[in-house]
């Protein structure tokens, strides 16, 4: 069953003090960057970083919600990057079996991907997002003023997901990204707003059609299967790991689908324009070991997202041995 879609608000306003009625969840990084925003509010602050995306943090938030006397009518607002919104959504969905909640993503990655889709949760050991819910936020406020404090590496991180949408669905977007670069979008508010809205539309369309990932929502995992394993093993930023994961998928597609070698080559060039890597010296066996524990595996292998062409993707069940071969060729940078 499709739960109701969130209300989207697009704005560019220097963040103002928040309403006192809601309870806010953020990390120390955002809390320190925007002290005036949180003045006089009930705000729960936790330490930033993937290592804090855990049940312990949710327990801490639950304890704080109780102290703030949160009840079923209290709205929770997660303000931050993907880790904050994933945890805030999960904590709000489980406290008293669910409070109303919404998000204000503060990173490009959060705006184009992590805040949208309703998947909330935490990691467990090496398993990313193993525990969680699918529950849509009531609203998402996309305030691009937050991006003014976004560090360089976070721009690349977000662009990995933008490039992913272009590869999967939108060859015109792929061409546009090729004509521009990070500096262009950072200096051109209108182009950036349009870009964010295009990505929001793609993700929303897919989630609305298949909220529980029984079909086409799986496509959004392009680059994320090996990508998540590499991210977890090497503590690599999400976007960089997804970039490498997308190239691994192109290597697989050449062998499994006979996809043209130029697809991976074009993608590698585009990734480098957005300061994203195409190769990395990972340990193939370690990556395979993590993949064998992947949520998407079944008895015979893993459903992998492959590109037939730029803008055209498919879901293919692959054995671990064909994935292993592609990992070896990507590690050696043999194709691209
Ligand atoms: N929260 C990210 C997603 O639902 O895809």
């Amino acid at each position: 069953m499709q739960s109701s879609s969130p209300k989207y608000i697009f704005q560019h306003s220097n963040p103002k003090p928040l309403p006192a009625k809601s309870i806010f969840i953020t990390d120390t990084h955002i809390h320190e960057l925007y002290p005036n925003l949180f003045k006089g509010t009930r705000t729960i602050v936790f330490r930033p970083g993937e290592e804090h995306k855990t049940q312990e943090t949710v327990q801490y938030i639950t304890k704080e919600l109780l102290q703030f006397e949160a009840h079923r009518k209290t709205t929770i607002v997660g303000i931050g990057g993907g880790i904050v919104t994933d945890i805030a959504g999960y904590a709000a969905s489980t406290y008293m079996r669910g409070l109303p909640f919404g998000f204000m993503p503060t990173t490009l990655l959060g705006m184009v991907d992590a805040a949208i889709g309703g998947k909330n949760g935490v990691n467990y050991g090496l398993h990313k997002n193993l525990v969680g819910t699918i529950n849509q936020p009531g609203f998402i406020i996309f305030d691009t003023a937050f991006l003014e404090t976004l560090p360089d590496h976070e721009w690349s991180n977000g662009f990995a997901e933008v490039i992913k949408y272009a590869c999967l669905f939108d060859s015109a977007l792929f061409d546009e990204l090729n004509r521009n670069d990070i500096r262009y979008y950072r200096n051109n508010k209108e182009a950036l707003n349009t870009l964010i809205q295009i990505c929001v539309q793609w993700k929303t369309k897919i989630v609305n059609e298949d909220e529980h990932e029984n079909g086409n929502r799986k496509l959004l995992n392009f680059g994320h299967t090996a990508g998540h394993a590499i991210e977890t093993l090497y503590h690599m930023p999400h976007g960089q790991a997804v970039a490498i994961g997308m190239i691994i998928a192109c290597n697989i597609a050449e062998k499994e689908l006979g996809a043209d070698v130029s697809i991976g080559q074009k993608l590698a060039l585009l990734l480098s324009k957005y300061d994203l890597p195409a190769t990395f010296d990972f340990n193939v066996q370690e990556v395979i070991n993590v993949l064998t524990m992947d949520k998407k595996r079944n008895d015979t292998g893993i459903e992998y997202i492959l590109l037939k062409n730029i803008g055209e993707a498919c879901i293919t069940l692959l054995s671990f041995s064909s994935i292993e071969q592609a990992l070896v060729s990507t590690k050696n940078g043999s194709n691209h």
Side-chain angles (χ1 to χ4, degrees):
M1 196 184 72
Q2 165 71 53
S3 54
S4 58
S5 294
K7 182 173 179 205
Y8 291 155
I9 299 160
F10 291 90
Q11 64 184 42
H12 182 95
S13 55
N14 286 318
K16 297 179 189 64
L18 296 163
K21 256 171 63 186
S22 304
I23 295 181
F24 301 91
I25 298 179
T26 192
D27 63 20
T28 49
H29 177 67
I30 293 295
H31 199 247
E32 280 160 21
L33 264 178
Y34 298 98
N36 292 334
L37 184 65
F38 297 98
K39 231 178 221 161
T41 65
R42 295 180 292 172
T43 299
I44 301 168
V45 187
F46 64 89
R47 278 176 289 167
E50 197 68 36
E51 67 273 29
H52 299 296
K53 193 177 173 185
T54 58
Q55 292 280 15
E56 286 73 38
T57 302
V58 175
Q59 272 175 23
Y60 164 72
I61 291 170
T62 305
K63 190 177 98 217
E64 293 290 289
L65 286 172
L66 264 176
Q67 288 206 335
F68 283 140
E69 298 179 7
H71 53 77
R72 284 241 171 98
K73 295 267 185 286
T74 308
T75 298
I76 306 295
V77 187
I79 306 183
I83 294 171
V84 170
T85 52
D86 275 12
I87 293 186
Y90 179 53
S93 299
T94 49
Y95 181 86
M96 292 188 176
R97 298 201 190 90
L99 306 189
F101 67 99
F103 298 142
M104 287 178 87
T106 58
T107 61
L108 180 62
L109 182 73
M111 291 182 195
V112 298
D113 180 31
I116 311 160
K119 288 185 188 172
N120 316 290
V122 293
N123 304 331
Y124 180 79
L126 286 182
H127 306 268
K128 257 184 87 69
N129 305 323
L130 186 81
V131 182
T133 62
I134 296 186
N135 189 19
Q136 299 299 333
F139 60 89
I140 306 176
I141 301 174
F142 301 87
D143 190 336
T144 44
F146 281 115
L147 301 180
E148 283 164 13
T149 54
L150 198 66
D152 293 350
H153 69 272
E154 275 295 343
W155 282 92
S156 302
N157 232 1
F159 267 103
E161 296 291 345
V162 176
I163 292 170
K164 181 190 81 175
Y165 294 119
C167 288
L168 289 172
F169 311 120
D170 197 336
S171 61
L173 178 59
F174 194 94
D175 293 341
E176 179 194 313
L177 291 168
N178 244 325
R179 287 192 298 274
N180 301 313
D181 57 13
I182 294 185
R183 190 196 298 233
Y184 168 79
Y185 289 106
R186 283 180 83 159
N187 294 331
N188 188 332
K189 281 198 182 102
E190 215 177 298
L192 180 64
N193 278 332
T194 307
L195 186 74
I196 291 171
Q197 294 199 24
I198 290 171
C199 296
V200 170
Q201 278 164 14
W202 277 122
K203 181 140 186 193
T204 304
K205 177 178 182 299
I206 293 291
V207 171
N208 283 347
E209 286 167 5
D210 177 26
E211 186 181 31
H212 287 270
E213 203 169 303
N214 298 313
N216 274 351
R217 185 166 182 174
K218 292 177 187 171
L219 294 173
L220 299 175
N221 293 323
F222 176 53
H224 283 62
T225 306
H228 270 166
I230 291 171
E231 178 180 354
T232 307
L233 284 167
Y234 301 102
H235 306 289
M236 190 182 276
H238 181 72
Q240 290 191 19
V242 167
I244 295 161
M246 290 192 284
I247 294 293
I248 292 170
C250 287
N251 286 335
I252 297 176
E254 285 161 26
K255 294 189 180 67
E256 296 291 322
L257 308 178
D260 203 290
V261 70
S262 67
I263 299 170
Q265 288 168 341
K266 281 188 215 158
L267 176 56
L269 268 178
L270 184 61
L271 291 170
S272 70
K273 240 181 150 174
Y274 288 84
D275 298 331
L276 289 162
T279 57
F280 173 67
D281 189 18
F282 51 82
N283 180 308
V284 171
Q285 200 47 54
E286 277 180 357
V287 172
I288 287 288
N289 288 347
V290 176
L291 286 184
T292 56
M293 304 182 292
D294 193 282
K295 291 197 287 296
K296 297 177 287 295
R297 76 157 290 173
N298 64 22
D299 286 342
T300 32
I302 297 191
E303 282 189 320
Y304 227 92
I305 310 309
L306 302 178
L307 295 186
K308 293 182 183 168
N309 219 325
I310 303 288
E312 194 189 350
C314 63
I315 305 164
T316 307
L317 182 63
L318 292 180
S319 66
F320 285 105
S321 68
S322 47
I323 298 170
E324 189 166 342
Q325 277 172 29
L327 290 176
V328 173
S329 54
T330 307
K331 176 184 154 86
N332 299 334
S334 59
N335 291 28
H336 308 117

